[in-house]
Each structure stands twice: as structure tokens, then as C-alpha cells.
Amino acid sequence: MKTKRIYINNEKEIKFTFKQNRYDFIVDEIPLKKWSGRGNFLILKIKKVFTSTWELLSIISKTLNIAEHQIGYAGLKDKNATTTQYISIPLNKSRDYKLLNSKNIEVLATYRDDQKLKIGDLEGNRFKITIKDINPDDLTLIYNRISQIQKHGIPNYYGFQRFGKDDKFEKTKALIYGEEYQNDKKLDKFMKFTYQSYFFNGWLAKRVEISKEKDSKKLVILDGDIFKDKNKKTITGLLPGRKVQRATSKAAMIEKNFDDIFIHEKGSRRDAWIYPKDIKNNYNSEKKSMLLSFSLPKGSYATVLIESLANLNYGY
């Protein structure tokens, strides 16, 4: 059930090379708050390469003899990238934190705070992404699309990293329906969330399609939509499950096609549209490459911005 991610811009695809690696994909986490400078937790600012957040947690647990549930983190970061993120550990277990430094992990700084980090305790992420093999004839179109993205925003799809190269929809559905069992609790939770993500992406693609038919540069509002804010600026899409508000009226007629009432996981709603901030670009005419830098709110995918720029899907 892989859904083609549809974008607002015109139908022309722009061909360039984009790869996730330590040199061309750099992510820096933006903390939600300033650290208090006191308290029973040490906050580690960690730079890592070729290491997923889950692998990092396992390394910290084994190196410092800390149970993984005592380690706090704000969000998951890609493995095939250079990423900087914040990790909290109990102060009384922090004496040997320098032992974490290795070929792929570097503790850049430490801070004191009175609270353990929790999922979602970040404002967003800053990205530096290099795209290569750009045809100079496409430069004007690339600049125009960057301008459109900055002005009108982009659909907040889950990126291809969420689903991987293989379509695991039926396997995740089997977990939801109790037909299969996953011993790894982290993987079980992740796969169930992935199942919800399939529905969200399918719904959003349909809504973008409707908006394009109406020649709109943004998502068209329908009667019965549910919004994040009182000013009705941000439409939200359904991550199906229990205890979640569902759309009504015309919006419900579309949403019901991307729902599963048998999901026992807690449901939620996700912003359907986001506005990248501080977009900058630096084109290297000799290398025919461009360095893009920008910030996105938490939970959003930089690869979706690159796809919107190119008007094509990666990971297929």
C-alpha cells in the first residue's frame, strides 16, 4: 500500500542526485528550551555518524551501565547522516560519559537540567543537504520552486525512511490484527505507527490531488476539517486509532477511506502542511551542486522537501 507522494508544483520532474550520507545529509536538533544549569540530569549534546538513535541508546546503556528506560531523548535521527542530538542521563551515572567518544560518536558539550528529556522535547531540526549533478538549464526552475516552497509551504508527508524500500503494509496490518507477534517492543511500536502512517500519506496525497484540481498552491479547506489552531490555518490529518477526533461533513467523506476502526493503538492527528524556515541555497557552478539549508518543525522529513523540489518520489 505504498502511496505515491503528490506535490503541488507543476508536473515537470527535475533530475539531480540526492543521497543520504554523512557528508551530504547533516541534521542538528533544535532544543525546545534552555537548560536550567541545575538538577539531577546531565544533558549530552552528541554528534554521531552511521549510528541510529536506538543504537546510540544501546551504546550509552552498556558503556555507562544505565538502564535504557533511564535515558531520555527528544527524537529519532537518521543513521545514514551526520546528526547532532541531545540525550539526558541521570547525573549520578554520568561520571564516565567521556567513554562514549569513539570513531562514530562525539560528545560535543554537556549541560545540567532538572528534567529528563522526553519524545517531542524539541522545537525542530536544522538541515544542510547537498544535491548534485544539477543540469544548469534547470537552475531557474529550482530557484522558482524554492521560492514557492518558502511562500506556500509543502505537504507534511511521512518520508520514505518511515517505510523502507519494501512495502511492509500487510505485515504491519497482521500485527495490528493480532495475526503476528513481534518480540521486540520498540520494533512492534514502530511498525504499528508505520501502519498508521500509511493511511495518513494516502489521505494527504488525495487532498493534494483535490487542491491541484482547484489550482491552489496550498491545501484546500473542506467543510468538517479539523484544525491545529483556532485561526483554522493548519489542517490536520488522521492517524487512525482510538480516542481521536475524526473529521465530519465533506472532509469525512475522504477521511473515511483512509481509516481503520480496528486499530487499538491510540490515534492522533498530524499537521497536513508545514512551512520550512530560513531556506538558503548556495550553488557551486564547478561541481554543479547546491547546498540547501533550512529548518523544519519536529516530526517532519527533509526528504519530503527535496522531493517537492524535484517533484518525484525517492525510495521506490
Side-chain angles (χ1 to χ4, degrees), residues 144-315:
N144 287 340
R145 285 196 185 165
I146 290 173
S147 179
Q148 282 189 5
I149 288 170
Q150 190 149 353
K151 182 178 180 180
H152 300 294
I154 57 175
N156 193 23
Y157 289 112
Y158 286 98
F160 66 87
Q161 310 97 304
R162 167 66 68 181
F163 309 103
K165 292 183 179 179
D166 301 319
D167 192 339
K168 300 181 179 66
F169 178 77
E170 292 302 327
K171 186 171 183 178
T172 53
K173 183 177 181 180
L175 284 174
I176 292 289
Y177 281 69
E179 297 168 0
E180 288 192 19
Y181 180 75
Q182 174 58 249
N183 290 320
D184 188 324
K185 290 183 178 180
K186 285 183 179 178
L187 185 56
D188 179 77
K189 185 176 181 180
F190 179 78
M191 290 182 71
K192 288 176 178 177
F193 188 27
T194 298
Y195 184 70
Q196 294 172 310
S197 305
Y198 279 112
F199 289 103
F200 177 88
N201 269 20
W203 167 85
L204 184 52
K206 183 62 178 178
R207 291 294 298 265
V208 171
E209 194 176 85
I210 292 170
S211 300
K212 290 182 73 169
E213 289 172 358
K214 295 182 180 296
D215 200 28
S216 173
K217 298 296 183 184
K218 299 180 182 180
L219 216 59
V220 171
I221 296 173
L222 299 179
D223 290 339
D225 270 327
I226 297 173
F227 299 87
K228 175 184 178 180
D229 44 69
K230 294 180 180 179
N231 296 326
K232 295 187 176 182
K233 289 184 178 180
T234 307
I235 300 170
T236 63
L238 177 69
L239 290 170
R242 57 184 177 83
K243 296 183 179 180
V244 59
Q245 185 180 5
R246 285 172 164 83
T248 58
S249 190
K250 290 184 179 179
M253 294 175 66
I254 296 171
E255 186 174 278
K256 68 181 181 181
N257 296 314
F258 303 94
D259 196 355
D260 188 339
I261 61 173
F262 294 102
I263 297 177
H264 297 296
E265 302 300 306
K266 187 177 179 180
S268 62
R269 301 198 69 89
R270 172 180 170 87
D271 294 356
W273 206 259
I274 55 170
Y275 292 87
K277 295 181 179 179
D278 306 319
I279 303 178
K280 298 177 182 176
N281 64 84
N282 187 0
Y283 178 66
N284 187 317
S285 58
E286 291 185 7
K287 296 182 178 181
K288 295 182 180 179
S289 66
M290 180 178 288
L291 175 63
L292 291 168
S293 60
F294 53 90
S295 298
L296 294 178
K298 60 185 178 184
S300 302
Y301 289 76
T303 53
V304 171
L305 185 146
I306 301 301
E307 286 188 346
S308 187
L309 184 62
N311 197 29
L312 54 80
N313 284 197
Y314 294 102

Side-chain angles (χ1 to χ4, degrees), residues 18-219:
F18 162 66
K19 292 182 179 179
Q20 278 193 251
N21 57 51
R22 63 180 297 183
Y23 304 107
D24 300 328
F25 199 93
I26 300 171
V27 189
D28 293 320
E29 197 170 79
I30 305 171
L32 188 62
K33 65 171 190 176
K34 291 184 178 181
W35 313 116
S36 66
R38 60 184 183 280
N40 295 322
F41 295 93
L42 188 71
I43 308 295
L44 306 175
K45 182 180 181 181
I46 294 179
K47 180 180 179 180
K48 61 183 182 61
V49 295
F50 305 130
T51 309
S52 70
T53 299
W54 286 351
E55 289 170 336
L56 176 63
L57 298 180
S58 178
I59 291 169
I60 293 173
S61 174
K62 292 174 182 177
T63 304
L64 302 182
N65 192 27
I66 305 173
E68 281 198 33
H69 72 268
Q70 292 183 293
I71 305 170
Y73 62 100
L76 299 175
K77 295 291 176 287
D78 293 287
K79 179 173 184 174
N80 296 319
T82 295
T83 64
T84 300
Q85 70 178 116
Y86 295 86
I87 302 290
S88 69
I89 59 175
L91 189 64
N92 60 4
K93 295 278 190 176
S94 66
R95 185 179 66 179
D96 297 324
Y97 76 84
K98 291 183 179 180
L99 294 176
L100 296 171
N101 288 311
S102 65
K103 180 181 178 181
N104 294 335
I105 297 171
E106 180 183 2
V107 179
L108 299 177
T110 61
Y111 312 90
R112 287 272 296 275
D113 200 58
D114 50 6
Q115 292 183 332
K116 175 186 174 182
L117 279 171
K118 304 184 297 297
I119 288 288
D121 283 349
L122 71 160
E123 183 179 317
N125 295 285
R126 293 188 188 92
F127 296 89
K128 290 182 179 179
I129 293 176
T130 301
I131 57 175
K132 300 178 178 178
D133 302 320
I134 297 171
N135 185 337
D137 292 338
D138 289 329
L139 272 177
T140 298
L141 184 54
I142 288 174
Y143 290 135
N144 287 340
R145 285 196 185 165
I146 290 173
S147 179
Q148 282 189 5
I149 288 170
Q150 190 149 353
K151 182 178 180 180
H152 300 294
I154 57 175
N156 193 23
Y157 289 112
Y158 286 98
F160 66 87
Q161 310 97 304
R162 167 66 68 181
F163 309 103
K165 292 183 179 179
D166 301 319
D167 192 339
K168 300 181 179 66
F169 178 77
E170 292 302 327
K171 186 171 183 178
T172 53
K173 183 177 181 180
L175 284 174
I176 292 289
Y177 281 69
E179 297 168 0
E180 288 192 19
Y181 180 75
Q182 174 58 249
N183 290 320
D184 188 324
K185 290 183 178 180
K186 285 183 179 178
L187 185 56
D188 179 77
K189 185 176 181 180
F190 179 78
M191 290 182 71
K192 288 176 178 177
F193 188 27
T194 298
Y195 184 70
Q196 294 172 310
S197 305
Y198 279 112
F199 289 103
F200 177 88
N201 269 20
W203 167 85
L204 184 52
K206 183 62 178 178
R207 291 294 298 265
V208 171
E209 194 176 85
I210 292 170
S211 300
K212 290 182 73 169
E213 289 172 358
K214 295 182 180 296
D215 200 28
S216 173
K217 298 296 183 184
K218 299 180 182 180
L219 216 59

